[in-house]
Amino acid sequence: MEIDLVTNKRLISYHSFFDTALNKLHAEQRYRIFTDIERRVGEFPKAFCHTNKKIEEIVIWCSNDYLGMGQHPEIICALTKAAVKYGAGAGGTRNISGNSHAIVSLEKELADLHHKEAALVFTSGYVSNQTGISTIARLIPDCLILSDAANHNSMIEGVRQFGCDKEIFRHNDLKHLEELLRKYAERPKMIVFESIYSMDGDVAPIHAICDLAEKYHALTYIDEVHAVGMYGNRGGGVADRDRAMERLDIIEGTLGKAFGVMGGYIAAKRNIIDAVRSFAPGFIFTTALSPALAEAAVASIRYLKNSSGERARQQAQVQKTKDALHAAGIPVMKTDTHIIPVMIGNAEACKAASERLLHTHHIYIQPINYPTVPKNTERLRITPSPFHTDEMIKQLVEALMEVWEYLDLQFEAGKRTA
């Protein structure tokens, strides 16, 4: 507290609160630094990094633009044509003046992608989860949410906003899930889970969860944000690949990862979508996605429905990267997906590894620290794309081997895990 020398009253030092919070982040090695990156069309995964008044070429190995569709000529053409035709913005919320024909077309495309009656587009995948989960559950009297322990923060916030009863089942633990379903057999229930968990790269047992949902009469809500575009014959996600889409009640996805644009959505039966459209504050009171972005998303979805080349190439480069890292002795968590977690297990070491990769080897991989992952499981998260060449893979492995030697010199035994 500060003292006003004139009145002798205590003053609240507001700025000290923010300084204290930030200092705590720095002390815990959790302060996030956003690297200044300049992506250029036609050069992905290469980009330019702006640091200390210098511009250096780097290779991005942690992008969620998984297939490089954000720089695809057809998507850029659709975006620019729509911007010239419709302008930059949506004009308002959809219930006032922002319900563009482009966004209506996008919702039809998404409903078709997931074999659902209807879809609803939001400004981000975070908003679609946060708003979708809370609104759906709130419209069901006495609803109980059963949420996987590893669910994304957007899903957790959706459950919190629901504000009613919830149970957390152990990650991908069918036995625990059934125990909870049996305990609440007479109540309306919704099981909320992901298809691919973005930090560990593991996959949910979708059919088994659907079996339990049918047995105990529960709704299913699946997050496919790290799967749409990349799995299934048409890019509908893991549920598409595993022929489970018709068994799921609500499918949530994003337009900002494999589709390379921006936005989120849910797809379901028409009455569910209509109810969310009519009651969700996070939809009603926010400006709509711009027509240009909607047109770009339509172009990307249509392209990936008919082209499997990007998916095949990505899967090939993912496997090559995994094999090369494993052969080099780099501690890679085993996954069956495109996500490759390289485990470090210490926040300070993880940050140091990321910085050395960037400044010494011109390789960009952001450190993943708490609260994104539990403490002592800090990691580098690698996501190969179809455009990472064999030579880039070789350079990545060599760089990580050098970084591992550097960490061994800088951090005493036992301070990080390997």
Side-chain angles (χ1 to χ4, degrees):
M1 290 286 186
E2 297 178 1
I3 303 296
D4 188 316
L5 298 178
V6 177
T7 64
N8 203 35
K9 291 182 178 179
R10 291 189 301 174
L11 301 176
I12 299 172
S13 179
Y14 288 100
H15 291 291
S16 67
F17 301 145
F18 305 116
D19 290 336
T20 298
L22 290 170
N23 289 337
K24 186 174 185 290
L25 281 181
H26 281 288
E28 295 175 356
Q29 299 295 322
R30 295 197 293 117
Y31 181 76
R32 297 173 188 264
I33 297 173
F34 296 152
T35 305
D36 186 347
I37 293 175
E38 179 185 344
R39 287 165 37 118
R40 294 188 181 178
V41 173
E43 298 183 23
F44 182 78
K46 293 182 179 180
F48 290 93
C49 178
H50 294 249
T51 57
N52 300 322
K53 298 182 180 180
K54 293 192 303 182
I55 301 177
E56 298 179 322
E57 187 177 81
I58 60 171
V59 177
I60 301 173
W61 275 97
C62 57
S63 176
N64 282 347
D65 187 359
Y66 292 130
L67 301 178
M69 295 301 290
Q71 299 191 23
H72 193 284
E74 288 190 25
I75 282 64
I76 294 172
C77 181
L79 177 73
T80 52
K81 281 185 176 181
V84 171
K85 183 178 181 180
Y86 303 121
T93 63
R94 289 182 67 181
N95 63 308
I96 295 177
S97 59
N99 194 43
S100 67
H101 177 69
I103 208 167
V104 173
S105 298
L106 172 58
E107 288 172 343
K108 291 179 180 177
E109 203 68 45
L110 289 165
D112 174 76
L113 176 67
H114 293 293
H115 298 173
K116 298 299 180 187
E117 292 178 357
L120 192 67
V121 169
F122 298 81
T123 50
S124 74
Y126 194 102
V127 175
S128 58
N129 267 335
Q130 186 182 48
T131 300
I133 291 170
S134 61
T135 304
I136 292 167
R138 197 160 49 241
L139 291 172
I140 302 170
D142 196 33
C143 184
L144 171 78
I145 290 183
L146 302 167
S147 180
D148 189 287
N151 277 342
H152 187 263
N153 177 264
S154 60
M155 306 178 82
I156 294 170
E157 287 302 313
V159 173
R160 283 177 180 167
Q161 284 193 14
F162 164 50
C164 296
D165 293 346
K166 68 178 185 297
E167 290 279 4
I168 310 300
F169 62 93
R170 291 185 293 271
H171 178 49
N172 278 349
D173 190 328
L174 296 171
K175 182 179 179 181
H176 189 211
L177 175 59
E178 183 164 19
E179 288 173 2
L180 294 172
L181 286 166
R182 188 183 301 113
K183 179 180 177 181
Y184 298 98
E186 302 304 316
R187 289 185 62 175
K189 300 169 289 296
M190 182 165 70
I191 304 169
V192 176
F193 65 107
E194 300 182 43
S195 62
I196 294 178
Y197 291 86
S198 62
M199 291 300 118
D200 289 349
D202 56 339
V203 181
I206 298 175
H207 277 294
I209 289 175
C210 288
D211 288 343
L212 290 175
E214 291 171 6
K215 181 177 179 181
Y216 293 96
H217 198 51
L219 283 178
T220 49
Y221 180 109
I222 189 170
D223 174 318
E224 285 259 42
V225 299
H226 291 278
V228 289
M230 293 174 288
Y231 298 87
N233 290 333
R234 300 196 310 157
V238 175
D240 181 13
R241 181 196 69 184
D242 295 350
R243 299 183 180 181
M245 286 194 295
E246 284 79 6
R247 302 190 70 190
L248 294 157
D249 295 297
I250 303 105
I251 297 176
E252 187 268 349
T254 185
L255 305 168
K257 292 183 170 61
F259 291 125
V261 189
M262 178 184 174
Y265 64 89
I266 58 173
K269 283 188 176 295
R270 195 173 307 281
N271 62 348
I272 294 176
I273 296 301
D274 197 19
V276 175
R277 181 191 67 85
S278 301
F279 289 95
F283 173 80
I284 295 169
F285 297 105
T286 192
T287 299
L289 202 68
S290 77
L293 287 172
E295 290 276 11
V298 168
S300 185
I301 295 164
R302 286 177 179 170
Y303 179 91
L304 289 174
K305 280 180 178 177
N306 295 293
S307 176
S308 60
E310 289 76 13
R311 290 190 281 275
R313 173 71 176 171
Q314 183 204 32
Q315 290 168 12
Q317 297 311 96
V318 166
Q319 191 59 54
K320 287 180 182 179
T321 305
K322 288 179 178 179
D323 291 344
L325 290 170
H326 179 75
I330 303 297
V332 176
M333 181 184 291
K334 184 178 180 181
T335 76
D336 294 322
T337 65
H338 61 283
I339 294 167
I340 307 176
V342 174
M343 304 305 294
I344 294 181
N346 173 272
E348 187 178 1
C350 194
K351 181 180 179 182
S354 175
E355 290 178 349
R356 188 163 184 85
L357 282 169
L358 181 64
H359 299 301
T360 302
H361 301 283
H362 308 297
I363 289 174
Y364 175 59
I365 308 175
Q366 274 290 82
I368 306 295
N369 294 334
Y370 176 85
T372 306
V373 295
K375 290 180 180 179
N376 302 318
T377 68
E378 292 83 2
R379 66 198 66 182
L380 301 174
R381 177 180 174 275
I382 296 172
T383 53
S385 77
F387 300 99
H388 284 91
T389 65
D390 293 355
E391 181 61 26
M392 288 178 182
I393 295 172
K394 180 174 179 290
Q395 292 168 356
L396 170 69
V397 173
E398 291 173 351
L400 281 170
M401 290 174 68
E402 190 280 331
V403 166
W404 239 246
E405 292 178 4
Y406 169 79
L407 293 179
D408 284 336
L409 291 172
Q410 295 295 317
F411 297 88
E412 67 269 20
K415 196 167 184 179
R416 65 175 182 84
T417 60

